[in-house]
Each structure stands twice: as structure tokens, then as C-alpha cells.
Amino acid sequence: MDIRPINDEYSVSGQITVEDLDQIKALGFKSIVCHRPDFEAPDQPTFDSIAARARELGIETMHIPVGPMGVTADAVQKMVDALDEFQRPMLGYCRSGARSTAVFQQTQHIRG
């Protein structure tokens, strides 16, 4: 797991696993947003499996998949909603962290 801070409240990572969630909790993250569509790769855990364990740990989750069409206006709005509603610090993840970074960057002109 390679967690990279974007600012004090938001960090990004490549794909996480169910087993990573205890460490994510220990690091203080209170919410997680997945920007990777399910079944993008055969070895990738589904969002539901990540979300189930995260709920057990008291971590809020949201799935905002960013697929081949790239970052859409709908994805940006859902990310704005997540940032407004969820506790922080928040971890965004996808395959490499790039989509999680791009979606977050596009929220900045809306959120100020």
C-alpha cells in the first residue's frame, strides 16, 4: 500500500485489499472512496468486499467508479458530496491513485 497525501484531509493510494483496512484504520482514516470499477482486473477485490470490512471498522465508504470515459461531471459531483458529507481524513483509491487524484482536483473549483 502506497498512501500519498494530497492535503491534510485527503490522500490517495493504488488498489487496497481487505487486509489493508486494519492498517488504514490505524492510520486514522475515517472514510474511503473507491474510484475503480469492479472487475477491471481479475485479481482485484470487489468494492463490496472492501466496504463490508470497512463498515465493521467504522469507516464510511462510497464507490464512484471512473472507467474508460474518464472523469465525468457525475463522478465529480458525487466526489463533492462525499467530501461534504464524510468524515476526514479520507482515502481515495483506484488502480494507481491517478483517478482518485484527478477526481479530487476537479472538485476544488466547486468546493473552493
Side-chain angles (χ1 to χ4, degrees), residues 1 13-18 20-21 24 32 45 50 91 93-94:
M1 196 171 43
S13 174
Q15 180 66 56
I16 62 172
T17 66
V18 171
D20 292 331
L21 288 165
I24 290 167
I32 296 172
I50 298 284
L91 177 65
Y93 77 90
C94 56

Side-chain angles (χ1 to χ4, degrees), residues 19-93:
E19 295 77 21
D20 292 331
L21 288 165
D22 288 304
Q23 181 181 359
I24 290 167
K25 172 77 173 181
L27 290 169
F29 288 99
K30 301 197 182 315
S31 58
I32 296 172
V33 177
C34 173
H35 296 105
R36 190 172 192 193
D38 277 341
F39 311 111
E40 192 174 58
D43 62 339
Q44 147 192 6
T46 63
F47 172 73
D48 286 345
S49 66
I50 298 284
R53 177 65 181 141
R55 275 192 300 275
E56 291 173 0
L57 295 169
I59 300 171
E60 298 174 294
T61 61
M62 183 179 282
H63 195 199
I64 307 172
V66 176
M69 297 296 293
V71 177
T72 63
D74 184 55
V76 172
Q77 186 56 58
K78 287 179 179 173
M79 187 64 186
V80 167
D81 293 344
L83 288 163
D84 287 347
E85 296 168 15
F86 283 8
Q87 294 182 39
R88 291 176 295 281
M90 176 185 286
L91 177 65
Y93 77 90

Side-chain angles (χ1 to χ4, degrees), residues 91-106:
L91 177 65
Y93 77 90
C94 56
R95 187 187 61 77
S96 69
R99 286 174 276 189
S100 295
T101 301
V103 171
F104 177 79
Q105 288 173 333
Q106 290 190 38

